[in-house]
Amino acid sequence: VNFAGQWLNLRGLQSVGPLPMLYPDFDDPLRQAMRREVELLFDSVVREDRSLIDLLTADYTFVDEVLARHYGIPNVAGPQFRRVRLTDPNRFGLLGHGSILTLTSYPTRTSPVLRGKFVLDNLLASPPPPPPPDVPALVADTATEQKTLTMREAMAAHRADPQCASC
């Protein structure tokens, strides 16, 4: 469990999180439950001698009442963590866990760039090169011809720039 916390930087979860005015339900008990969820998944993979790939593809997780309520998982009461089956493939494995999503987001929005860097650094041990100098930051609400771009559209526009694509 300590290894998982160090490897995935779960200790950093204490110092990050969404803005309270945008996400008033995000509090310390939820933060601790998110951390425990990852620790229990890691522990289950090790103790059950499962494939390491299960860390990314597991169709189950561990929740208590606080985390179950946050995820919208019904019929979970009390502080004990229990294993539950997931049906949404977007929630499978570590990358669907709230703690990892929180660690790889900004306080006001998600960040595919931070998430990709996390995967390269922590899961693939292949850190990306630093961005080239003078590359503008990716802005979720980049406007083009009076149209606000979605994050997906902003990422596509960012990758279309040869200077940005190299990163």
Side-chain angles (χ1 to χ4, degrees), residues 79-99:
Q80 317 83 309
F81 277 80
R82 74 240 16 182
R83 186 176 181 149
V84 295
R85 176 111 7 238
L86 299 169
T87 56
D88 180 358
N90 293 311
R91 294 264 306 115
F92 289 3
L94 289 174
L95 299 178
H97 285 190
S99 58

Side-chain angles (χ1 to χ4, degrees), residues 150-161:
T150 65
M151 179 57 76
R152 187 178 304 271
E153 291 167 336
M155 289 295 298
H158 204 66
R159 285 189 306 270
D161 181 338

Side-chain angles (χ1 to χ4, degrees), residues 56-74:
L56 299 176
T57 62
D59 64 351
Y60 65 93
T61 193
F62 296 86
V63 296
D64 64 353
E65 183 175 0
V66 170
L67 197 54
R69 188 175 337 108
H70 179 73
Y71 289 157
I73 298 172

Side-chain angles (χ1 to χ4, degrees), residues 8-140:
L8 299 171
N9 191 31
L10 295 178
R11 294 177 185 127
L13 190 59
Q14 195 59 37
S15 62
V16 299
L19 287 179
M21 65 184 166
L22 294 177
Y23 302 94
D25 295 335
F26 191 91
D27 58 12
D28 200 52
L30 178 60
R31 183 188 319 265
Q32 295 309 315
M34 287 178 171
R35 178 180 173 148
R36 189 70 183 136
E37 174 188 29
V38 172
E39 293 169 345
L40 289 169
L41 175 66
F42 184 84
D43 186 64
S44 78
V45 168
V46 171
R47 286 187 191 276
E48 297 168 20
D49 197 25
R50 301 174 70 97
S51 167
L52 286 177
I53 293 170
D54 283 359
L55 288 173
L56 299 176
T57 62
D59 64 351
Y60 65 93
T61 193
F62 296 86
V63 296
D64 64 353
E65 183 175 0
V66 170
L67 197 54
R69 188 175 337 108
H70 179 73
Y71 289 157
I73 298 172
N75 306 320
V76 176
Q80 317 83 309
F81 277 80
R82 74 240 16 182
R83 186 176 181 149
V84 295
R85 176 111 7 238
L86 299 169
T87 56
D88 180 358
N90 293 311
R91 294 264 306 115
F92 289 3
L94 289 174
L95 299 178
H97 285 190
S99 58
I100 303 301
L101 296 171
T102 300
L103 283 168
T104 60
S105 294
Y106 290 113
T108 57
R109 67 172 175 85
T110 187
S111 176
V113 173
L114 290 179
R115 196 151 300 128
K117 184 177 180 325
F118 176 88
V119 168
L120 288 170
D121 282 342
N122 297 84
L123 303 180
L124 300 177
S126 179
D134 302 323
V135 173
L138 180 66
V139 179

